[in-house]
Amino acid sequence: MVLRPTPQPGILHIAPYVPGKSGATGAIKLSSNESPLGASPKAIEAYRAAAEHLEIYPEGSSRILREALGEVHGVDPERIVCGNGSDDILHLLAQTYLGDGDDAVMSRYGFSIYPIVTQAAGARILMAEETDYTADVDAILASVTERTKIIWLANPNNPTGTYLSIAEVRRLHAGLRPDILLVIDCAYAEYATADDYSVGLDLVAEAENVVMVRTFSKMGLAAVRIGWMVGPEHVVDALNRIRGPFNVNLPAQLAGAAATRDVAFTEKLKTYNAQWRDWLTAELNSNYMQVMPSQANFVMVLFPDAHHASAAFAALLERGLVVREIGNSYGIANALRISIGPEQAMRGVGGILNALAEIS
Ligand SMILES: *Cc1c(COP(=O)(O)O)cnc(C)c1O
């Protein structure tokens, strides 16, 4: 054996994250759940203006951004931590609360970053079975062990698009020991329309063991990389001790603050998305394809088997529509995840998949 640096235990067992494909030039990318309408024009303007002062370090706590978020979402800016994307926040939470010998619990088809951040911190990830591709509160509670420190819950979830009502989230919280941190990852909150959905800020305010994590990536600023978290004071304090001192760059802070205040744009996104999500869901439901009802800016389409899903992926790709295969990263080999995008792309997806259904 040659002597060489060795990664910490568990690191080499991590399956690397698989990003959505981009396809050839001119292809339409429906594989990464990006905004169907681009970014807020006000955010773009703020980003450009920031280019004038690239020589200066950003303010390290993202104060400008936290104040905008606090104002628009009605939370104390002192309870907010910002990150270089919400992935940054998820890593910080894992580094802070997980270590060797600990467990984190997620649901079977939960977001694929959770196993990565958990194992990177030296802990073990436990999977709770789902019911109809939806997180199952009883199964999650039954998976908890004495060593469990974190529950990762994406609500709505990626890649399934399904969600838990706030009553179910509260039932989950009520069943947890107070020393277990419940992480509610609301990456798609801007798109959720169900009456019984809530991001759970009331629960965060009442409890000492709940945090809500959000991102700007799905609302038009994926390239800029901004995530944020609201949590109890003691969690905020702990994260701030290990957070990179300048983890959110200045153009991102300014663009994020402008996007936050541009509530009309966020509303426009939500309306557009709901319209085309409903349209695509109705259009694709047949004996051949089943669309999971989605609260996000994508739908998961189930095909009779993996072979049919691959054929559908290839047929869409050939016509310049790049969607996401979720067999490798999520183990749902008979499904494709399709982001809501421009109208023409949605009509293209509908036409191509319905034509396939007819010949199958
Ligand atoms: C996209 C996504 C994120 C990560 O977003 P970034 O802010 O771009 O790191 C987090 N959670 C879920 C469930 C997501 O789908």
Side-chain angles (χ1 to χ4, degrees):
M1 266 297 275
V2 202
L3 203 57
R4 60 178 193 184
T6 313
Q8 288 292 311
I11 298 287
L12 297 182
H13 298 141
I14 295 174
Y17 182 78
V18 188
K21 291 194 174 96
S22 296
T25 5
I28 297 183
K29 191 177 171 205
L30 302 172
S31 59
S32 295
N33 304 339
E34 289 141 341
S35 158
L37 299 176
S40 152
K42 290 179 179 161
I44 296 172
E45 202 182 300
Y47 190 92
R48 284 216 178 95
E52 300 296 323
H53 291 289
L54 296 184
E55 74 283 11
I56 297 169
Y57 272 104
E59 189 280 319
S61 78
S62 301
R63 186 179 46 76
I64 294 169
L65 177 55
R66 287 185 298 108
E67 282 173 357
L69 288 166
E71 191 183 300
V72 170
H73 296 274
V75 291
D76 179 358
E78 295 296 317
R79 296 294 192 87
I80 299 175
V81 178
C82 295
N84 181 38
S86 57
D87 287 349
D88 185 20
I89 304 276
L90 298 172
H91 269 290
L92 290 172
L93 287 166
Q95 293 297 323
T96 304
Y97 294 102
L98 298 173
D100 228 2
D102 293 333
D103 293 337
V105 176
M106 65 181 281
S107 83
R108 170 70 61 195
Y109 304 117
F111 186 43
S112 65
I113 288 288
Y114 307 149
I116 296 177
V117 299
T118 299
Q119 290 170 275
R124 189 170 63 140
I125 188 82
L126 303 177
M127 301 275 191
E129 289 309 324
E130 300 196 359
T131 306
D132 296 334
Y133 296 104
T134 306
D136 181 321
V137 168
D138 297 304
I140 293 172
L141 291 174
S143 304
V144 168
T145 74
E146 270 169 30
R147 296 172 156 201
T148 303
K149 298 283 169 58
I150 286 185
I151 309 290
W152 304 110
L153 177 73
N155 197 32
N157 183 51
N158 173 14
T160 56
T162 56
Y163 79 108
L164 289 186
S165 68
I166 187 64
E168 279 292 274
V169 174
R170 281 187 174 275
R171 190 164 76 82
L172 171 59
H173 174 252
L176 295 174
R177 293 195 314 267
D179 63 317
I180 298 175
L181 183 68
L182 173 59
V183 178
I184 312 174
D185 177 356
C186 305
Y188 299 94
E190 282 73 20
Y191 295 108
T193 51
D195 288 339
D196 60 355
Y197 174 79
S198 160
V199 293
L201 277 176
D202 291 345
L203 184 58
V204 173
E206 290 160 24
E208 286 293 315
N209 65 334
V210 183
V211 298
M212 175 199 74
V213 179
R214 301 280 287 271
T215 179
F216 283 76
S217 296
K218 314 296 157 53
M219 54 179 278
L221 296 177
V224 180
R225 313 301 305 130
I226 316 164
W228 55 291
M229 183 202 84
V230 181
E233 208 177 323
H234 68 98
V235 176
V236 168
D237 173 63
L239 259 62
N240 276 332
R241 289 168 195 263
I242 64 164
R243 177 175 62 74
F246 306 103
N247 62 335
V248 183
N249 66 73
L250 181 66
Q253 290 185 29
L254 296 177
T260 301
R261 292 203 167 93
D262 194 354
V263 287
F265 181 80
T266 311
E267 200 52 41
K268 194 165 105 180
L269 267 181
K270 185 178 195 165
T271 306
Y272 175 90
N273 184 73
Q275 180 191 342
W276 288 96
R277 183 180 66 198
D278 288 354
W279 181 86
L280 196 63
T281 303
E283 185 76 5
L284 299 184
N285 263 320
S286 67
N287 292 334
Y288 177 68
M289 294 171 277
Q290 189 202 347
V291 182
M292 289 309 294
S294 170
Q295 285 293 309
N297 68 340
F298 59 85
V299 293
M300 181 172 82
V301 185
L302 295 161
F303 294 84
D305 56 37
H307 178 74
H308 282 94
S310 306
F313 176 83
L316 290 166
L317 188 62
E318 196 177 310
R319 307 279 281 277
L321 297 165
V322 189
V323 303
R324 182 74 162 263
E325 291 183 289
I326 50 180
N328 284 342
S329 41
Y330 290 96
I332 315 178
N334 65 323
L336 296 179
R337 194 192 68 191
I338 305 173
S339 304
I340 302 304
E343 171 173 349
Q344 215 186 341
M346 294 297 95
R347 293 196 187 277
V349 168
I352 294 163
L353 293 186
N354 280 329
L356 275 185
E358 269 173 37
I359 57 167
S360 295

